[in-house]
Amino acid sequence: MRQVPRYLIIGNGRLARHFQQYFLLQQIHFQHWHRALPLSHLYEMLMDTTHVLVLISDQAIEPFIKTFLPLANPLMIHCSGSLVTPYAYGAHPLMSFSSEMYPLSDYQSIPFMLDENAPAFSNLFPGLPNPHFSLTTALKKKYHALCVLGGNFSCLLWQKVFSTFEKEFKLPASVCFPYLQQQTHNLITHWQTALTGPLTRNDLGTIDDNIQALLGDSFQAIYKQFVVCYQTMQEETL
């Protein structure tokens, strides 16, 4: 009979709160500790723990484990997308976590990227049904850089669009929502052909007009660099 896991979640940030919500919905028992609580509570909890999730900032993970958990026996797990450390196994949830909690089905669908030397997912997270994949540790930093490019940086672009529509054009940001929704749908269904606009048409006049329209705007440099990146990608495919 498989041993029932006894999880300890360390941290009080957004990811830690989402893990707590997931475990509650999945009906998995866990304990929770963060820095506002006494250290004595942490050591008491460790006595009845099989899996420790160290869900704190990347730069704090190794110092925290070495300082406060050097003799701990439970399985150590961190969820950083870029950190590789001998002190804990990496299991990165490929998802954006907002301030709002998600339904159970959304949590269950999150893919986890495991360090290549990590135990099986069923050993890391007993009781969770998530899809999971192994990632070579040498590629982990590039993997995370791409996640930031695709998720975080695209968010900055859309925030720029929404903000300009509201402040300069005096239009509600919601005017853009159907466009964003369709673009997202196109990327999900046919990502290879989802790109449209003057770049794909090689419409140099429109591209130049766009660049001139952004004169004095910090995003002009980003537009120019996207043009260069696209041209380089086209050359590489020939």
Side-chain angles (χ1 to χ4, degrees), residues 127-149:
L128 299 188
N130 297 70
H132 47 276
F133 306 86
S134 180
L135 184 67
T136 303
T137 51
L139 297 176
K140 193 168 184 181
K141 292 187 184 302
K142 186 171 185 179
Y143 154 79
H144 191 254
L146 291 173
C147 291
V148 173
L149 279 173

Side-chain angles (χ1 to χ4, degrees), residues 103-119:
L104 178 59
S105 59
D106 285 4
Y107 287 120
Q108 292 175 332
S109 69
I110 297 174
F112 278 78
M113 300 297 171
L114 311 182
D115 289 352
E116 60 184 340
N117 65 332

Side-chain angles (χ1 to χ4, degrees), residues 32-229:
H32 178 220
W33 185 89
H34 53 87
R35 287 186 180 273
L37 299 174
L39 270 175
S40 59
H41 289 191
L42 171 63
Y43 296 131
E44 289 173 6
M45 293 175 182
L46 284 171
M47 296 176 64
D48 188 38
T49 295
T50 60
H51 294 67
V52 177
L53 304 185
V54 187
L55 307 183
I56 57 180
S57 62
D58 288 13
Q59 66 271 18
I61 292 173
E62 280 195 339
F64 183 88
I65 294 176
K66 289 190 288 186
T67 302
F68 300 109
L69 308 174
L71 302 178
N73 292 320
L75 197 62
M76 296 288 172
I77 304 165
H78 73 82
C79 292
S80 166
S82 60
L83 177 67
V84 177
T85 172
Y87 298 102
Y89 295 112
H92 181 245
L94 184 51
M95 179 56 60
S96 175
F97 294 99
S98 71
S99 57
E100 297 180 358
M101 299 295 103
Y102 303 156
L104 178 59
S105 59
D106 285 4
Y107 287 120
Q108 292 175 332
S109 69
I110 297 174
F112 278 78
M113 300 297 171
L114 311 182
D115 289 352
E116 60 184 340
N117 65 332
F121 185 80
S122 59
N123 292 330
L124 285 176
F125 293 103
L128 299 188
N130 297 70
H132 47 276
F133 306 86
S134 180
L135 184 67
T136 303
T137 51
L139 297 176
K140 193 168 184 181
K141 292 187 184 302
K142 186 171 185 179
Y143 154 79
H144 191 254
L146 291 173
C147 291
V148 173
L149 279 173
N152 302 148
F153 289 178
S154 65
C155 182
L156 284 175
L157 292 175
W158 279 108
Q159 287 176 334
K160 167 67 174 178
V161 172
F162 296 156
S163 175
T164 303
F165 265 60
E166 289 194 339
K167 294 179 180 179
E168 186 175 343
F169 303 161
K170 307 305 179 185
L171 296 170
S174 58
V175 169
C176 303
F177 291 177
Y179 176 34
L180 173 57
Q181 289 171 336
Q182 187 61 49
Q183 184 62 60
T184 302
H185 174 77
N186 293 346
L187 279 166
I188 292 173
T189 54
H190 300 288
W191 63 267
Q192 299 94 332
T193 58
L195 183 65
T196 61
L199 282 176
T200 60
R201 299 192 301 268
N202 196 32
D203 188 345
L204 301 181
T206 298
I207 291 172
D208 186 62
D209 286 344
N210 290 168
I211 292 173
Q212 291 304 314
L214 292 170
L215 187 65
D217 192 312
S218 59
F219 278 76
Q220 186 192 62
I222 295 176
Y223 193 115
K224 289 181 178 179
Q225 194 57 47
F226 269 123
V227 174
V228 172
C229 289

